[in-house]
Structures are given as structure tokens and as C-alpha cells.
Amino acid sequence: MKNNIKVQRAVHDMTQQELADRVGVSRQTINAVELGKYVPSTVLAMKVAAVFSKSVNEIFTLEETD
């Protein structure tokens, strides 16, 4: 699964830690999601999307291998 969290954070001038604090996870979790090493739960994906006022589909996209 691909995502554009890093881009959204840059647009909103937000660090990984700030995003993590807003969605209730560790900075390491945000880092792992950004790198594609961790697939977030539905709830976490929805929280991340809400922080950026985007739909989940605007943040996360499935790849053919998913």
C-alpha cells in the first residue's frame, strides 16, 4: 500500500511526532507507515486522513500486489 503522508506533512508543516501525537500513536509507527513497512488499521488510516482533511483514498492507495 502506498501513501502520501510525507507529502501531506510537508504541506501542513508537520513533523512525524506532531502527527503521531494528533492520532495517538508513536513517531515510529508514523515512520513505519510512511515507509510502507506497516499497514495501518482502518481506524488509524481514518484518523490520519482526518488530520489532513482528506479522504482515506486521497492518502492511501492500493498497489496491484496488495
Side-chain angles (χ1 to χ4, degrees), residues 25-57:
V25 298
S26 69
R27 184 202 59 77
Q28 291 86 349
T29 297
I30 297 299
N31 185 56
V33 172
E34 281 187 8
L35 295 174
K37 294 181 178 181
Y38 175 75
V39 176
S41 68
T42 305
V43 172
L44 179 55
M46 292 177 76
K47 286 180 178 181
V48 169
V51 166
F52 299 125
S53 299
K54 301 281 186 182
S55 71
V56 172
N57 289 340

Side-chain angles (χ1 to χ4, degrees), residues 1-18:
M1 178 184 302
K2 294 189 333 186
N3 68 75
N4 64 5
I5 295 173
K6 188 172 184 176
V7 171
Q8 291 298 321
R9 285 193 308 98
V11 168
H12 291 85
D13 194 29
M14 185 181 294
T15 66
Q16 286 183 341
Q17 186 62 59
E18 289 168 335

